[in-house]
Amino acid sequence: MLSNRNRSRLRLLLAPLLLAQLLSPGMSEHVQAQYTEPMHKEAATDAATFRLQVKAAPGARYQTESTFDDKSLQRALESAAAGVPYIEPLLPDTTLSYYKKDQTQLLGVTPTGEAVDLAAKQTLQLSSKAQAALREQVRALRAKHYGELLTWEEASLVLPKFSSFTVLDVESGLSFEGQRRAGSHHADVQPLTKADSATLKSIYGGQWSWDRRAVLVKLNGRTLAASMHGMPHGGDGIPGNDFNGHFCIHFLGSVTHGSRSVDPAHQVMVHRAAGLLNDYVSKLSPSALIDVWISGAHQGDLQLLQVTTGQEQALHVRSMRRLSKEQEQDVSQLLQLDTTVDVAMTGARSSAVSTRRVLFHLERATLQDRWFIRSAIIQ
């Protein structure tokens, strides 16, 4: 049991709260830029047409759409009864809009073709034929929208040194041209021109940043899932591009040059760029899940907080970085786990970095289910 003194310490409340009240002034502009637009506000305009739309996060400006006609599917949807609750922590990234009795209908669709009532968070009972039709449409659209999940060794062959390619940010939709200059464990990249450097800087709100972002790397008809940061460092090589150094792009299994270890924040962004964020996080160990939560806290990424806790989140922190790295515990027979992690953090209304300890409580329903972070208390 926590003492009264511990209860009075700063807590990170894992419950739905008003965004405007909890976001720190330094963080609010960044987060609101991602989440102000309603999710999938467009609707089908033809009564005989379905419109599919996919994007990586609710507020992402990069989206891919397709339209198709299927009268039998429309009849199946119009007569579908309510099914089981939809229990995934994130709503489907793909939506389907169509007309029913002169009213626009909007549903989520999973990669397996399940239709989801977004308001009720409940699936619809569809025939196997109708679900297969949806599954094929969603599969084709997501394949266009997201990138291939290639290992670093495979990606390095697709992007040889001195190759130039397009880098597209999956949230802002902004893109620029870059060139791989070096890098044996991940790609060391530079923007090609001043304009490309300016675009990269604008993706980060007008200042260089170490924050990780999910990106697509496009070259020779291939689109690869990747993660980048936006901080110039190290060697230079393209004169006159207003970028003093290079930035890094990671792929599946990439490691840092210094520690030769996988960067957890880059890996979660690689999977976001591949459209596999929920699948990836659902398989993580408690320690790795905490790494994703800390990345979300550090970057003000509400989707990462939600996928780790199963709840919509807001957070009272400017920055957070993990300091302690304990050995992985054997949790194979556990349904609950309490663990502490040392972090360097900056509070919402502070500029000073302090060393703190966070007490995490994690749970899962059965030994076969995934872990969720149910509480995090800063001590």
Side-chain angles (χ1 to χ4, degrees), residues 50-65:
F50 287 103
R51 175 192 250 175
L52 274 178
Q53 182 188 86
V54 59
K55 48 186 178 180
R61 287 168 173 78
Y62 172 61
Q63 59 191 42
T64 305
E65 296 182 354

Side-chain angles (χ1 to χ4, degrees), residues 149 212 227 250-255 262-273 277 280 292:
L149 190 65
R212 279 57 166 148
S227 171
H250 283 236
F251 297 86
L252 179 66
S254 293
V255 299
V262 170
D263 182 283
H266 274 308
Q267 292 305 301
V268 74
M269 291 299 173
V270 170
H271 285 85
R272 176 184 273 173
L277 175 62
Y280 174 68
V292 176

Side-chain angles (χ1 to χ4, degrees), residues 213-232:
R213 294 185 71 93
V215 295
L216 303 176
V217 176
K218 297 174 175 283
L219 173 66
N220 295 333
R222 303 283 295 274
T223 300
L224 310 186
S227 171
M228 73 174 184
H229 67 67
M231 180 60 71

Side-chain angles (χ1 to χ4, degrees), residues 1-2 14 39 42 88 147 159-160 182 192 205 213 220 224 250 271 279 283 285 287 290 311-312 321 328 378:
M1 296 289 292
L2 291 174
L14 302 183
M39 183 177 182
E42 301 88 351
E88 294 293 337
L159 309 170
L192 281 182
R213 294 185 71 93
N220 295 333
L224 310 186
H250 283 236
H271 285 85
D279 291 344
K283 296 177 177 65
S285 68
S287 180
I290 289 171
Q311 302 177 30
E312 294 183 3
R321 181 171 59 88
E328 287 281 357
I378 297 180

